[in-house]
Amino acid sequence: MLPDPGASRAVLIGSSQFDHLEQLPAVANNLTALAEALSLPSSWGLAPQNCVVVSNPASNDEVMAELRSAVEQAHDTLLVYYAGHGLIDLQNALQLALPKSRQGWVGSALPYDWLRQAVLAGPADRHVLVLDCCFGGLALGTMAGTPGLADQASVEGSYLLAAASETSYALAPPGETYTAFTGELLEVLRLGIPGGPELLELDAVYRHLRLSLGAKARPMPQARNRNTSARLALGRNRAFLPGLPIGASVGSDSVRRAWPAPDGVRTAEGFIARLREVRETSGLTQKAVSQRSGGRISEGSVRTLLNRETLPRTWTAVPAFLSACGVPDEQVKQWHVAWTRLRAEQPSAMGAVQPSDGQITEPATTRGAAWRRLTGRIGRSKPR
């Protein structure tokens, strides 16, 4: 299942520049690329304000302030990512290095347990923690291995992906744009998993990372799963090629495609984001969607529907859009169920009525009030 982008948050933390440790320039590229990947409609579709990048933070306070804000706002899924050097203190606890951190200096790095406790304090149903780090650098482009990293970092109700196994190194290969682990993760998000499932569920991603990194003789990642978080998806599998249903026409595009569904959506923002996924999956332009609708929905209405921030007040435009994209009727019914549920749960998220020309009009009560004000002014302007 994909998270609702309106009720989910991501915090991407990375340290690439250090005063006392080896530099890791690839980490800066990791942050930019991962933020872009999580904003794609085929992935989580996160809005910029819902995906915070904390690059080379000056202090623990800076990191924790951004983290606490995201923790408080995330009700569906919270993703926390860290890339940089990992340090181990005298109590064998994991410390996340910041630019001014020193090896062996207590208090110079961010204790992982602070991050862990902050995540646990929030209302999110699911947590994803991605740690592309180990302790200390042996040479430029290498981050030394952290024993038992996944066991130390596990959080109840979460899924953890860690770059390093207990006995190997996590690599930032010289000359490569990204660190070895994050680079492979980005390939999965961008290109998908050939022969893989429709959604990039975390367990499928983990298994693919082990195969792909192992084939390159690179360190094997670790994963820990608590409860049902393994079914959470990082995006849609761009390499997914489903077989045809029994009795389906070979030339039928609509049955070949794995259409996005509103399952798990709990906000208006999430509903609209799923609609944008449908258009992307269809491969049609907004103009083409309008043309295929046979006049049921104009190009302007398509544009308005996909760029609005509130739930459509009427159901008219949504089924016309879905059908024009090629979504089967049975799945259109699922969308109607989701729209009806959201309408009942979040009446304040309802927007203005959208006519067929794509322009938003004021609700009838607002128009009536405006007319009364206008006629009142006209009446007062008459000679007495």
Side-chain angles (χ1 to χ4, degrees):
M1 56 187 164
L2 281 167
D4 182 332
S8 300
R9 299 291 186 272
V11 181
L12 312 181
I13 309 161
S15 296
S16 59
Q17 302 172 5
F18 299 91
D19 292 348
H20 310 287
L21 302 171
E22 296 289 348
Q23 308 304 306
L24 296 173
V27 168
N29 300 326
N30 287 1
L31 296 177
T32 301
L34 191 56
E36 292 176 352
L38 291 173
S39 70
L40 294 174
S42 59
S43 182
W44 282 16
L46 292 177
Q49 66 270 21
N50 293 351
C51 183
V52 177
V53 174
V54 186
S55 180
N56 292 312
S59 66
N60 291 347
D61 289 343
E62 180 181 343
V63 177
M64 296 305 296
E66 295 289 358
L67 180 60
R68 290 190 188 100
S69 178
V71 166
E72 292 170 357
Q73 297 173 39
H75 291 269
D76 186 313
T77 303
L78 173 66
L79 182 148
V80 180
Y81 167 94
Y82 171 81
H85 288 298
L87 308 175
I88 301 298
D89 65 16
L90 295 177
Q91 284 71 46
N92 204 38
L94 178 63
Q95 306 278 323
L96 307 179
L98 303 184
K100 296 186 180 301
S101 297
R102 287 177 180 264
Q103 179 73 46
W105 278 35
V106 176
S108 67
L110 175 66
Y112 176 80
D113 197 51
W114 288 17
L115 183 151
R116 178 179 180 276
Q117 291 184 45
V119 168
L120 285 173
D125 294 334
R126 291 169 293 273
H127 317 94
V128 182
L129 294 103
V130 183
L131 299 178
D132 192 352
C133 69
C134 299
F135 77 91
L138 297 180
L140 181 62
T142 303
M143 295 180 286
T146 304
L149 177 61
D151 288 322
Q152 294 182 52
S154 62
V155 177
E156 189 65 35
S158 69
Y159 197 99
L160 172 78
L161 276 173
S165 68
E166 297 180 2
T167 58
S168 65
Y169 298 95
L171 302 178
E176 294 194 12
T177 305
Y178 310 110
T179 60
F181 172 80
T182 298
E184 208 66 38
L185 177 61
L186 288 167
E187 284 293 299
V188 172
L189 293 174
R190 291 168 174 170
L191 304 178
I193 301 174
E198 175 185 347
L199 297 179
L200 296 174
E201 295 183 344
L202 287 166
D203 264 356
V205 171
Y206 167 61
R207 290 193 297 269
H208 181 76
L209 290 176
R210 286 187 64 86
L211 290 173
S212 57
L213 288 167
K216 297 177 181 179
R218 292 187 167 179
M220 294 287 199
Q222 287 185 309
R224 291 293 184 273
N225 169 37
R226 297 297 180 93
N227 298 333
T228 60
S229 56
R231 295 189 56 206
L232 181 69
L234 291 179
R236 296 191 174 277
N237 185 2
R238 288 178 174 267
F240 178 65
L241 295 174
L244 287 173
I246 296 176
S249 168
V250 173
S252 175
D253 287 341
S254 64
V255 296
R256 282 181 175 274
R257 291 191 175 91
W259 293 104
D263 299 343
V265 167
R266 62 178 78 183
T267 66
E269 183 179 343
F271 188 89
I272 301 302
R274 288 288 189 275
L275 289 178
R276 288 195 289 267
E277 288 182 46
V278 169
R279 193 208 60 79
E280 183 176 271
T281 301
S282 75
L284 299 172
T285 63
Q286 294 177 0
K287 182 178 181 179
V289 171
S290 174
Q291 291 173 340
R292 289 186 56 165
S293 75
R296 294 176 62 198
I297 182 170
S298 69
E299 182 180 353
S301 291
V302 174
R303 185 179 304 108
T304 299
L305 178 64
L306 299 183
N307 289 282
R308 63 184 300 141
E309 297 179 353
T310 56
L311 195 68
R313 185 176 292 276
T314 65
W315 176 241
T316 307
V318 178
F321 167 80
L322 293 171
S323 297
C325 286
V327 176
D329 290 343
E330 286 301 314
Q331 293 184 31
V332 173
K333 293 177 182 178
Q334 297 174 16
W335 282 89
H336 189 221
V337 170
W339 175 81
T340 303
R341 171 177 52 80
L342 288 172
R343 184 183 181 189
E345 293 174 351
Q346 299 182 354
S348 62
M350 299 296 292
V353 178
Q354 293 189 81
S356 59
D357 65 358
Q359 299 298 316
I360 297 177
T361 62
E362 295 176 308
T365 54
T366 304
R367 294 198 302 271
W371 174 251
R372 286 192 296 273
R373 290 195 299 271
L374 176 61
T375 55
R377 286 196 296 270
I378 294 173
R380 288 193 297 272
S381 66
K382 291 180 180 179
R384 296 189 179 184

XYZ file of all heavy atoms in Angstrom, residues 6 22 52 71 114 138 195 204 240 334 357:
86
model
N -0.790 13.469 1.801
C -1.225 14.588 2.632
C -1.060 14.330 4.111
O -0.958 15.267 4.911
N 36.343 12.229 7.506
C 36.465 12.204 6.050
C 35.242 12.842 5.389
O 34.116 12.683 5.848
C 36.614 10.752 5.564
C 37.866 10.052 6.040
C 39.124 10.585 5.369
O 38.984 11.340 4.378
O 40.228 10.269 5.839
N 11.190 17.382 4.140
C 12.178 18.338 4.627
C 13.588 17.768 4.475
O 13.853 16.634 4.869
C 11.913 18.681 6.109
C 12.986 19.611 6.643
C 10.539 19.306 6.267
N 7.175 14.772 12.928
C 6.548 13.737 13.767
C 5.135 14.149 14.160
O 4.199 13.336 14.135
C 7.411 13.478 15.017
C 6.629 12.680 16.054
C 8.686 12.729 14.645
N 17.870 9.493 20.425
C 17.027 10.694 20.414
C 16.054 10.633 19.237
O 14.864 10.907 19.382
C 17.897 11.945 20.271
C 18.690 12.306 21.481
C 18.987 11.514 22.557
C 19.319 13.570 21.727
N 19.768 12.200 23.461
C 19.981 13.467 22.979
C 19.402 14.760 21.023
C 20.706 14.518 23.532
C 20.123 15.811 21.553
C 20.768 15.692 22.810
N 37.594 4.904 6.871
C 38.930 4.345 6.749
C 39.724 5.084 5.676
O 40.927 5.226 5.776
C 38.846 2.857 6.391
C 38.177 1.957 7.438
C 38.176 0.524 6.939
C 38.901 2.057 8.767
N 10.226 -7.807 -13.346
C 9.651 -9.038 -12.818
C 9.130 -8.915 -11.408
O 8.723 -9.912 -10.804
N 10.158 -6.237 -0.873
C 10.605 -6.471 -2.250
C 11.811 -5.596 -2.578
O 12.751 -6.031 -3.255
C 9.457 -6.197 -3.218
N 6.800 -2.859 -13.834
C 5.751 -3.857 -13.641
C 5.013 -4.103 -14.946
O 4.509 -3.185 -15.590
C 4.764 -3.390 -12.575
C 3.619 -4.347 -12.345
C 3.848 -5.609 -11.840
C 2.316 -3.969 -12.640
C 2.802 -6.483 -11.607
C 1.255 -4.830 -12.416
C 1.499 -6.095 -11.898
N -14.779 2.140 -6.931
C -13.929 2.226 -5.740
C -13.582 3.680 -5.439
O -13.535 4.093 -4.282
C -12.649 1.413 -5.945
C -12.873 -0.087 -6.138
C -11.588 -0.821 -6.468
O -10.487 -0.289 -6.279
N -11.705 -2.022 -6.986
N -16.480 23.908 -17.609
C -15.463 24.726 -18.263
C -14.184 24.833 -17.447
O -13.249 25.508 -17.849
C -16.010 26.129 -18.546
C -16.325 26.902 -17.276
O -16.162 26.347 -16.169
O -16.743 28.068 -17.408
